Amino acid sequence: MRETKQIWFEETEAVYQEVLKLIALNLNDIHSVGFSLRFWDVFIGSWLREFTELVMLQLFDDEKSQIQMSEWKELPTITSLVKYRKLSKSTEFIENLRFDIFNETSIENKVSIYSQSIPKFAAVVSNKPKLGRRYLSATYLSRKVEGVLQIFFGRLPTRLIISEPPLAPVDKSLRTPTRFSSIDSSQKSKIIISLIPKYLPTVYLESFNFLVGAKKPWRGKRFPRVIFTANRHLYDDVFNFWTALAVENGSKLIIGQHGGYYGLSEFPSSFERHEFDIADRYISWGWNSKGISIAGPALMLVNQRLIKRINPHLLIVVTDQLFTYPRSIFGDIDESSPYLSNVQTLARNLEHINKNVLIRLPITHGDSGHSQIDWFNENLPETAIDTGEQKFRQLLKQAKLVVIPHNGTTLIESIALGVPTVIFWDKSIVWMRPEAQAVFNALEQVGIFHRTPESAAALINSIWDDVDGWWNSQPTLDARKQFTDQFARTVSNPVRFLAKALRF
């Protein structure tokens, strides 16, 4: 299966790069502009990668992609990246997409190769403007630390304000097949291009000319010398437009890691690949210091103190979001996976601890599939449930031990903040990057990491009477340090480090 996934991964990445070039050429032609490929990658890449991976997933999954529907269902207009992401989790959206893909793949020569003239990329002809101060937004730093950094660069601290993209009605004349050429491309790229007229958010097409009138994220007339963010590019189309325009005019884009999964999964997420594609510099949480990447501090943990636990008594099992219809074959956990049954096996194998078990659900546990509450009420009715409203760090104060059965931000946060933690997953849940293997081998030797729920339960049973003794033993401390050095790094003066990292 690994070899198959590797082939799919490489083909998906190749198709994305091909589709990006086609879309950039087509949108330059439609909008009568000559922006670079990088401009379009910064502006629409977050959406285009997700859409490409979703289509490729349906193409790889032969059984599901052959489902025929009697008719195409009308869906709400997709206006933005955020609206697309929400809609793409729905059954109606996936069924529509499968229907459209089936039509494109089942009828011979259905995908046409249009003969419109395709312009070559041309740089925007303009004098490079003088650049202004560095701009920071959604950095994952605490408000205080981000404020200090902003003041260091001569900016007054400002709150994050998201501007809704301008709305324009759908223009069917812009969404005809002849507007989107797929000359000299692979068959899968042609299929994706043929779907663009139906699924492209209006912000990239009908609303494009109105974006120059949208409020800029930064103050001042000049483009920033440097733009630094950790995740605003993943949800703010107006920010992405202005950032793309700034980069086109000489600004440097620095992106910081914004969560777990990075550097650990064998198949980098669409977020990780997109960020390395568009950034001039990338700040990781300790892993990878090659190319544009530098090993920086874990941004969300800068100046954070270890958790002081008060009457720790709970065994908190933190679950992840599951998807009825995954968006990617490389990251999302399918509802049909053994994920929840592994949690059940863990709980069933705990001795005299059931009354202390609390299942912590993600706050998004029900927005892309069936509610996990119903599953746990049926399969583990004796366990308490937290539905995600309580802040995780507040919950950690009550934790005697945290158990995490997936790869995500919570395991980094829990270990780095000094809370006793056990991790377990099998390879069907997490495919680990070779560079991370040595760290997890060390965690496995001291009992932090397990490959089965039975092994994790056995360790918990053996240490429950003295969890802190195990957690603070020298071998465990050494393994924890090895983990935090690579995935939750700290530096002695993070503001000075970041100030230096934001200079070019």
Side-chain angles (χ1 to χ4, degrees), residues 170-188:
V170 173
D171 184 344
K172 292 184 179 180
S173 69
L174 294 177
R175 293 179 178 268
T176 59
T178 53
R179 288 285 193 171
F180 294 90
S181 171
S182 55
I183 293 176
D184 298 328
S185 61
S186 66
Q187 186 67 12
K188 289 186 174 68

Side-chain angles (χ1 to χ4, degrees), residues 250-369:
S251 300
K252 299 296 185 181
L253 176 59
I254 300 179
I255 297 179
Q257 181 179 337
H258 78 273
Y261 198 88
Y262 288 77
L264 204 160
S265 172
E266 180 169 4
F267 301 105
S269 68
S270 62
F271 293 165
E272 183 179 330
R273 282 174 280 129
H274 174 59
E275 289 158 9
F276 271 82
D277 265 4
I278 66 173
D280 292 289
R281 182 170 294 157
Y282 189 85
I283 302 175
S284 77
W285 289 1
W287 57 278
N288 193 352
S289 56
K290 295 179 288 187
I292 67 168
S293 179
I294 61 174
L299 300 175
M300 66 182 295
L301 298 169
V302 168
N303 285 7
Q304 298 295 313
R305 297 178 180 178
L306 296 179
I307 294 289
K308 291 183 178 180
R309 292 176 294 150
I310 303 169
N311 186 28
H313 61 286
L314 293 176
L315 187 148
I316 301 174
V317 182
V318 183
T319 68
D320 200 6
Q321 183 175 354
L322 304 181
F323 293 82
T324 302
Y325 304 105
R327 302 157 301 175
S328 168
I329 196 171
F330 311 113
D332 294 340
I333 305 175
D334 198 319
E335 280 185 343
S336 63
S337 74
Y339 183 81
L340 291 180
S341 61
N342 283 347
V343 175
Q344 183 184 35
T345 299
L346 172 87
R348 295 294 190 212
N349 281 275
L350 295 175
E351 300 172 357
H352 315 299
I353 303 174
N354 284 341
K355 65 179 180 179
N356 300 91
V357 175
L358 174 68
I359 305 294
R360 160 75 171 202
L361 307 182
I363 198 165
T364 56
H365 67 89
D367 72 352
S368 59

Side-chain angles (χ1 to χ4, degrees), residues 411-424:
L411 73 88
I412 294 174
E413 194 172 5
S414 181
I415 293 176
L417 293 175
V419 179
T421 304
V422 167
I423 309 162
F424 78 89

Side-chain angles (χ1 to χ4, degrees), residues 90-268:
S90 69
T91 300
E92 293 78 14
F93 182 93
I94 298 299
E95 288 180 348
N96 270 16
L97 184 62
R98 288 177 181 167
F99 178 70
D100 289 333
I101 292 172
F102 178 81
N103 284 342
E104 297 296 338
T105 56
S106 62
I107 301 175
E108 187 175 4
N109 297 325
K110 180 69 171 61
V111 179
S112 301
I113 301 178
Y114 304 110
S115 58
Q116 71 180 90
S117 176
I118 302 298
K120 294 182 179 180
F121 284 118
V124 177
V125 180
S126 65
N127 294 323
K128 296 296 183 183
K130 292 183 178 180
L131 300 175
R133 297 182 178 93
R134 290 160 179 79
Y135 174 72
L136 289 67
S137 180
T139 63
Y140 256 50
L141 297 165
S142 68
R143 185 178 298 179
K144 179 180 178 180
V145 174
E146 185 176 300
V148 170
L149 201 54
Q150 287 178 326
I151 292 171
F152 183 88
F153 286 120
R155 282 190 179 271
L156 293 175
T158 57
R159 298 187 65 180
L160 177 62
I161 300 176
I162 306 298
S163 298
E164 288 293 324
L167 295 177
V170 173
D171 184 344
K172 292 184 179 180
S173 69
L174 294 177
R175 293 179 178 268
T176 59
T178 53
R179 288 285 193 171
F180 294 90
S181 171
S182 55
I183 293 176
D184 298 328
S185 61
S186 66
Q187 186 67 12
K188 289 186 174 68
S189 294
K190 291 173 186 174
I191 291 171
I192 294 171
I193 293 296
S194 73
L195 299 170
I196 292 297
K198 283 186 179 180
Y199 294 95
L200 184 69
T202 58
V203 67
Y204 309 132
L205 195 58
E206 289 87 352
S207 299
F208 181 80
N209 290 329
F210 298 100
L211 283 167
V212 291
K215 187 176 181 180
K216 295 193 294 289
W218 47 81
R219 295 175 181 173
K221 296 181 179 180
R222 293 181 179 180
F223 291 115
R225 183 173 302 279
V226 170
I227 299 170
F228 173 45
T229 189
N231 72 345
R232 191 166 175 178
H233 58 290
L234 299 178
Y235 55 80
D236 189 342
D237 289 305
V238 175
F239 172 83
N240 286 341
F241 171 78
W242 282 105
T243 297
L245 205 57
V247 168
E248 197 82 346
N249 285 278
S251 300
K252 299 296 185 181
L253 176 59
I254 300 179
I255 297 179
Q257 181 179 337
H258 78 273
Y261 198 88
Y262 288 77
L264 204 160
S265 172
E266 180 169 4
F267 301 105

Side-chain angles (χ1 to χ4, degrees), residues 285 296-298 301 484-485 488-492:
W285 289 1
L301 298 169
T484 54
D485 283 350
R489 185 170 178 253
T490 59
V491 296
S492 58

